[in-house]
Amino acid sequence: PTAPFYPVTKTFDLAKADTTKLLNNYMINVQSPVDDYIDAIFNVTWNFVNGACQNPYLSVVFEEIDHAQSDEYLEVRYPSFNAYDAIGRCDGSLDNNCGHWEQCMTYYDLALMNISSIENQIKIYIIKSAQVNAFCNNSINANLTISCVNQITTTNVTCPPTPICTPSPTMTTTGNPTGAGTTTSPTAGPTEKPTTYR
């Protein structure tokens, strides 16, 4: 069967960005109990108004709901939902590990896909494999964050630990296609009301 699409969209006003920071973060939570034994595709859209998201970076964390087996994973794709556009895979090691969050991707530079500035919209696709079941009341619970770089004009800006502040921009993911290891797991869950599909 064809994988169903589930849209998740949020609008962000860049006029409210903090110009004293090098990065401003815009997070969308994807949460759903969908459990029908076929892959599910969540198309996650950031709509930006009153400005452009400069040099966007992507970070992803996920709750370790049902990830003990190799075929139980989330996959992040950009700029299309096609398999050849996979940029990160979120693997875990446990089932029913409710409340435990894993880092999947950290400041992935979307400019690697020849994008430097996006005026209006960024669309990321996250695929939940068919074998991930709905434990912890959900089958997917993930926070996707786009970080936009400010064109800094102020002084004395504290530089955060991002690829911009290090000699070599890198991406971290918990599985293929990059093969990097798991990073330190955050402990916080969603900070906003999630979009839920049933």
Side-chain angles (χ1 to χ4, degrees):
T2 303
F5 279 79
Y6 300 95
V8 184
T9 302
K10 189 171 182 179
T11 298
F12 297 93
D13 185 356
L14 296 186
K16 299 178 180 179
D18 186 345
T19 58
T20 67
K21 294 181 178 179
L22 183 59
L23 293 176
N24 279 274
N25 298 319
Y26 304 96
M27 190 270 284
I28 296 179
N29 174 250
V30 179
Q31 188 177 123
S32 174
V34 170
D35 186 2
D36 49 12
Y37 295 97
I38 59 174
D39 291 351
I41 302 175
F42 296 85
N43 49 318
V44 188
T45 304
W46 288 255
N47 289 317
F48 295 106
V49 296
N50 295 318
C53 179
Q54 303 286 339
N55 302 97
Y57 289 83
L58 174 67
S59 299
V60 179
V61 297
F62 68 103
E63 188 176 13
E64 194 176 31
I65 293 173
D66 181 21
H67 293 274
Q69 305 301 319
S70 62
D71 58 357
E72 298 172 337
Y73 60 88
L74 307 176
E75 188 167 83
V76 184
R77 299 177 185 176
Y78 175 83
S80 82
F81 62 86
N82 294 309
Y84 55 74
D85 276 332
I87 59 173
R89 175 164 157 158
C90 309
D91 291 307
S93 58
L94 296 173
D95 289 341
N96 210 30
N97 198 13
C98 306
H100 176 79
W101 290 69
E102 290 281 338
Q103 192 82 37
C104 175
M105 301 177 67
T106 303
Y107 296 112
Y108 177 84
D109 187 357
L110 294 182
L112 295 174
M113 309 301 290
N114 298 318
I115 300 295
S116 61
S117 174
I118 298 178
E119 294 286 342
N120 298 314
Q121 189 178 88
I122 298 174
K123 188 182 292 288
I124 303 291
Y125 299 89
I126 185 164
I127 285 74
K128 180 194 75 67
S129 72
Q131 289 73 27
V132 176
N133 300 123
F135 303 146
C136 310
N137 298 318
N138 290 291
S139 58
I140 181 174
N141 189 12
N143 290 342
L144 285 69
T145 301
I146 292 291
S147 300
C148 303
V149 177
N150 272 327
Q151 303 303 301
I152 301 296
T153 57
T154 56
T155 58
N156 299 320
V157 175
T158 301
C159 189
T162 71
I164 300 169
C165 305
T166 59
S168 178
T170 59
M171 178 187 104
T172 301
T173 176
T174 59
N176 292 329
T178 63
T182 304
T183 60
T184 302
S185 302
T187 57
T191 57
E192 61 179 79
K193 183 177 180 181
T195 299
T196 302
Y197 291 93
R198 298 184 181 280

